[in-house]
Amino acid sequence: MMEKRKQIRYTTQARARISAAFDGDVLLKDISVTGCGIESTVFMDIKLNERYKMEILPEEISKIGSFEIMAEVLWTRMSGYFFEAGFTIVESPKGKHFQRYVDYLSWR
């Protein structure tokens, strides 16, 4: 399936925390300046069109500190043992960690 996006999504090895929905870390599958996707082996009770604060924990090799984004759920999917969700980023974080991380992923 071919995805048509306005912005390129970069695959990551980062973790994400959505404390309002799950008490642990999930895999941040991809990210761009406009959106991101997560994957988990545990079902997360998140609701479509709701906004969630998400803490992003970049992979250690990036040398970039954690940062927060506000993201709205666009879709969710449960397939086999995996739960996936796609988000649009509605508020850019304060500070430069977010942009530095996206720049790092595009360089990598």
Side-chain angles (χ1 to χ4, degrees), residues 19 24 44 46 51 53 66-67 73-74 84-85 88 93 101 106:
S19 58
M44 297 176 63
I46 57 176
R51 292 181 177 191
K53 186 185 297 184
S66 64
F67 55 90
V73 181
L74 295 178
E84 298 176 283
T88 185
Y101 187 56
S106 70

Side-chain angles (χ1 to χ4, degrees), residues 32-43:
S32 72
V33 293
T34 59
C36 63
I38 62 164
E39 184 176 280
S40 174
T41 56
V42 177
F43 176 77

Side-chain angles (χ1 to χ4, degrees), residues 55-95:
E55 182 181 7
I56 307 298
L57 307 152
E59 54 269 44
E60 194 173 317
I61 196 167
S62 73
K63 306 281 192 229
I64 298 170
S66 64
F67 55 90
E68 290 184 348
I69 58 174
M70 183 65 71
E72 184 175 321
V73 181
L74 295 178
W75 58 266
T76 63
R77 172 175 47 225
M78 190 76 185
S79 59
Y81 294 104
F82 294 100
F83 174 79
E84 298 176 283
F87 296 82
T88 185
I89 297 173
V90 294
E91 285 183 34
S92 297
K94 294 178 173 72

Side-chain angles (χ1 to χ4, degrees), residues 14-18 22 24-28 38 54-57:
R15 310 299 283 163
R17 288 185 186 145
I18 307 171
F22 180 67
D25 295 351
V26 297
L27 174 68
L28 181 70
I38 62 164
M54 188 181 303
E55 182 181 7
I56 307 298
L57 307 152

